Amino acid sequence: MMDKQQMQDFIARRTAQELKDGDVVNLGIGLPTKVSNFVSDDIDVIFQSENGFVGLGPAPDECDIDPHIVNAGGMPSCILPGGMFFDSATSFSIIRGGHLDATVLGALQVDAKGNIANYMIPGKMVPGMGGAMDLVSGAKKVIVAMEHTVKGNHKILEECNLPLTAPGVVDMIITEMCVIEVTPEGLLMTEINPDYTVEQVQEATGAKLIVSPDLKEMV
């Protein structure tokens, strides 16, 4: 059984496989920021951070931390050669202008229609949705990278019951248990972690899964 860090690294590693050479990609706060650590050396992906720079690199070693360079979640980051800084207006022009090939973000809930809720927990103080509404509307591909459940409760549902960030925008869901594509027919499971059975994945999912006839193992 994986611990939390191993689980997040597993999800981030698999998510990185979705990125292609030349892609411009935004990474959401939390788990998605780990994706930049697992991009293959033979491709060049340009990571954009909504707080105002492109050229986001892997997480720096403790000895290399620059307190002036942080990602959108306020965590230490680094900028690669050729990267650049700019103001928020320019940053959101990139996002809203349709210049992102993909965005990777977490979610509180995702449902069978591709709806996403990722900013508000009833009864708890939260800072708001940040740039999520812009990101999921502006990016060409929306990938949700998250743990499959929270404290045993379903996060993938037939219908979200939290306030929506945006309707019908999610293309793919990647968790520690499986890879799911959102299709007009429903949630299509295309890959499965070999540590789980199809029945276990379905039990952990609050929506009916369509199992691909070409179901593969996650690697």
Side-chain angles (χ1 to χ4, degrees):
M1 183 68 69
M2 294 183 285
D3 61 27
K4 190 175 184 68
Q5 180 172 329
Q6 291 172 326
M7 189 182 300
Q8 292 192 351
D9 286 348
F10 180 81
I11 296 167
R13 184 179 295 107
R14 174 58 189 83
T15 302
Q17 296 174 28
E18 292 300 311
L19 308 183
K20 303 185 298 296
D21 191 49
D23 277 353
V24 179
V25 180
N26 179 280
L27 301 178
I29 63 174
L31 187 162
T33 61
K34 291 175 173 279
V35 172
S36 62
N37 298 333
F38 297 104
V39 175
S40 175
D41 291 336
D42 61 354
I43 68 170
D44 183 19
V45 176
I46 301 169
F47 289 107
Q48 184 259 359
S49 187
E50 66 200 70
N51 57 321
F53 65 99
V54 292
L56 180 77
D61 295 329
E62 288 188 16
C63 59
D64 293 325
I65 290 176
D66 183 333
H68 301 290
I69 303 178
V70 296
N71 61 31
M75 299 301 293
S77 186
C78 68
I79 188 165
L80 300 176
M84 64 184 68
F85 301 93
F86 35 76
D87 59 25
S88 290
T90 302
S91 184
F92 276 85
S93 293
I94 293 171
I95 295 168
R96 295 171 181 169
H99 303 293
L100 293 177
D101 293 292
T103 184
V104 181
L105 69 170
L108 298 171
Q109 295 178 345
V110 183
D111 69 23
K113 297 178 182 178
N115 300 327
I116 180 172
N118 79 334
Y119 76 97
M120 182 177 179
I121 304 174
K124 293 191 177 183
M125 292 292 291
V126 291
M129 68 181 67
M133 182 179 287
D134 299 278
L135 287 164
V136 297
S137 300
K140 297 181 179 73
K141 183 174 185 178
V142 176
I143 303 171
V144 171
M146 67 178 188
E147 295 176 32
H148 204 95
T149 61
V150 56
K151 298 180 179 178
N153 296 317
H154 294 153
K155 297 178 70 176
I156 303 171
L157 307 168
E158 283 293 344
E159 187 172 348
C160 293
N161 53 43
L162 292 176
L164 295 184
T165 305
V169 293
V170 177
D171 297 295
M172 178 176 283
I173 306 165
I174 300 176
T175 77
E176 77 281 7
M177 300 184 85
C178 65
V179 176
I180 297 169
E181 293 181 5
V182 180
T183 75
E185 291 73 35
L187 300 178
L188 177 67
M189 181 166 64
T190 58
E191 298 179 28
I192 187 170
N193 183 334
D195 290 340
Y196 300 94
T197 65
V198 170
E199 291 74 22
Q200 286 174 319
V201 177
Q202 180 61 78
E203 185 178 352
T205 308
K208 175 64 177 175
L209 293 174
I210 304 167
V211 180
S212 170
D214 300 316
L215 186 65
K216 298 178 176 62
E217 289 188 356
M218 293 177 74
V219 292

